[in-house]
DNA sequence: ACCGATGTACAACGTTCGTTGTAGAAATTA
DNA sequence: TAATTTCTACAACGAACGTTGTACATCGGT
């Protein structure tokens, strides 16, 4: 594949991500996406066939991108854990910081969750596999390690991974996708980690 | 207001909820909504002005409906708590059971979260106030009571309420809006309540 | 039984949008 | 430089949709 071809392709995928994340599948027009990507509409059709094909390609591309970043955060912070509380806090902060960093992606995820009934099952499955499921499995594996070493007490590692992710990014759901100030983010993560480790038992 | 008027109005609100929850704002056509509600399209415009007005009315109507149900669950289960673990489990099951019961509503919420940038702030604010915020406040107040009585140990009741709600309905996010079998739901709630009370500390 | 309000059927309008065909420009490769 | 692939500009289409006006039917209250 020539240099120009791949350049145009990523330009389309990234431009489409911006527009699709903001406007959703139905509202986003091919013209708007072409303008954002600085590309002719014809080129989009030549590359992706139709609008649905473009949507699916964008989903997979963005999911892969973000999954790699999250896997890197997992590897960097949970590779060598000594003090469970501080290390989990650091990991939680890195984890929660990455979310607003990929605001477009998570806006796209909200679009996917709204559009689910109108997206082919195969595409959903492909997305889950390259994105969320892969990340959650990796996190669960680390959780299991920590449990085996006696630093945590976990029955179901996959569920524990889900619980952790929920707790450390449990910001006010009235404003999803809005970045918190550093201080608020730290407070949220600290509270999440504390609840994860110690719960609210009296 | 005459009987016929209110009948037609609720028919429109409920029919619109079904279509909007399934198709989203842009994809849902007035014709489809009118057909679902067994009403002429003209009547919709006479009642709600335009499509946006209908959408906002549906949001508020559905949010109010579900909030009342959730408040009832809170009152019924957290009025008299003796054994914190069993009572929280019962409450969690009732809470999690109510969610698939109002599947349409929560599908609509997913649509709202996707459409947020295209909905007037005033409408979002109205929705948050009559729905989620009201429920979360009530739950937080109960949590604070339990904490004051020594049955829980809570610093931030509002955050604790959010954590509880997240944990007891933390089913596999790969299939949002899909009802779990009773057994799986119980397992999920039990694990959530356990994490809420005791955490995963080693 | 009558009257006013409310609902319906229908046609029409302007707009937006996905998609395709085509002819020519631009860049890549040989 | 020549050949081939890739991209662009542009026009055109058919379909779907929100919205409005209007004339007629229908129902609730008196």
């Amino acid at each position: 594949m020539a240099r120009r071809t791949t350049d145009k392709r990523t330009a389309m995928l990234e431009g489409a991500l911006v527009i699709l994340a903001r406007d959703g599948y139905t509202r986003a027009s091919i013209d708007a996406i072409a303008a954002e990507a600085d590309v002719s509409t014809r080129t989009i059709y030549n590359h992706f066939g139709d609008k649905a094909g473009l949507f699916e390609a964008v989903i997979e591309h963005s999911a892969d991108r973000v999954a790699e970043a999250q896997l890197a955060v997992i590897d960097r912070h949970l590779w060598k854990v000594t003090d469970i509380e501080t290390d989990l806090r650091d990991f939680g902060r890195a984890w929660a910081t990455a979310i607003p960093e990929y605001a477009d992606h998570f806006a796209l995820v909200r679009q996917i969750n709204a559009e689910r009934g109108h997206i082919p099952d195969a595409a959903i499955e492909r997305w889950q596999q390259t994105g969320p499921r892969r990340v959650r499995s990796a996190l669960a594996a680390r959780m299991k390690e920590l449990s085996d070493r006696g630093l945590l007490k976990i029955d179901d590692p996959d569920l524990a991974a889900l619980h952790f992710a929920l707790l450390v990014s449990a910001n006010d759901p009235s404003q999803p996708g809005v970045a918190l100030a550093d201080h608020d983010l730290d407070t949220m993560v600290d509270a999440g980690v504390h609840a994860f480790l110690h719960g609210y038992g009296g």
Side-chain angles (χ1 to χ4, degrees), chain A residues 15-81:
Chain A
L17 171 61
V18 172
I19 302 298
L20 287 168
R22 199 186 53 199
D23 293 346
Y25 180 78
T26 316
R27 210 188 287 260
S29 74
I30 298 286
D31 282 335
I33 293 173
E36 178 76 24
D38 206 55
V39 151
S40 102
T41 66
R42 205 61 178 81
T43 303
I44 294 181
Y45 285 101
N46 286 342
H47 274 255
F48 303 102
D50 58 4
K51 199 185 181 183
L54 171 62
F55 191 36
E56 296 181 19
V58 169
I59 290 175
E60 202 159 351
H61 182 256
S62 183
D64 188 63
R65 203 176 142 75
V66 173
E68 298 288 354
Q70 289 182 318
L71 290 174
V73 171
I74 292 173
D75 280 349
R76 191 174 329 120
H77 286 84
L78 297 178
W79 159 58
K80 186 180 68 163
V81 172

Side-chain angles (χ1 to χ4, degrees), chain A residues 1-181:
Chain A
M1 208 162 27
R3 160 61 67 32
R4 186 166 57 141
T5 306
T6 71
D7 280 357
K8 290 283 174 187
R9 195 180 180 87
T10 68
M12 287 187 275
L13 288 172
E14 291 177 10
L17 171 61
V18 172
I19 302 298
L20 287 168
R22 199 186 53 199
D23 293 346
Y25 180 78
T26 316
R27 210 188 287 260
S29 74
I30 298 286
D31 282 335
I33 293 173
E36 178 76 24
D38 206 55
V39 151
S40 102
T41 66
R42 205 61 178 81
T43 303
I44 294 181
Y45 285 101
N46 286 342
H47 274 255
F48 303 102
D50 58 4
K51 199 185 181 183
L54 171 62
F55 191 36
E56 296 181 19
V58 169
I59 290 175
E60 202 159 351
H61 182 256
S62 183
D64 188 63
R65 203 176 142 75
V66 173
E68 298 288 354
Q70 289 182 318
L71 290 174
V73 171
I74 292 173
D75 280 349
R76 191 174 329 120
H77 286 84
L78 297 178
W79 159 58
K80 186 180 68 163
V81 172
T82 57
D83 182 66
I84 186 71
E85 187 127 17
T86 15
D87 288 338
L88 270 193
R89 254 207 292 266
D90 288 347
F91 169 60
R93 286 177 190 184
W95 181 268
T97 305
I99 293 181
E101 207 162 321
Y102 294 95
D104 282 340
H105 169 77
F106 290 100
L108 185 73
V109 171
R110 286 194 286 277
Q111 302 293 346
I112 297 172
N113 282 332
E115 285 278 323
R116 202 162 274 224
H118 304 280
I119 302 176
D121 288 347
I124 296 282
E125 180 58 28
R126 215 158 34 229
W127 164 59
Q128 287 284 339
Q129 193 174 341
T130 72
R133 197 142 55 222
R134 183 157 56 120
V135 174
R136 202 138 32 87
S137 294
L139 182 54
R142 299 297 188 165
M143 291 279 179
K144 178 155 172 20
E145 281 179 25
L146 297 176
S147 183
D148 289 344
R149 289 175 49 198
L151 295 170
L152 292 176
K153 197 174 147 196
I154 291 177
D155 280 335
D156 182 342
D158 216 72
L159 189 59
L162 179 56
H163 280 171
F164 182 85
L166 287 174
L167 288 174
V168 299
S169 48
N171 63 345
D172 191 348
S174 62
Q175 302 251 355
V178 173
L180 277 60

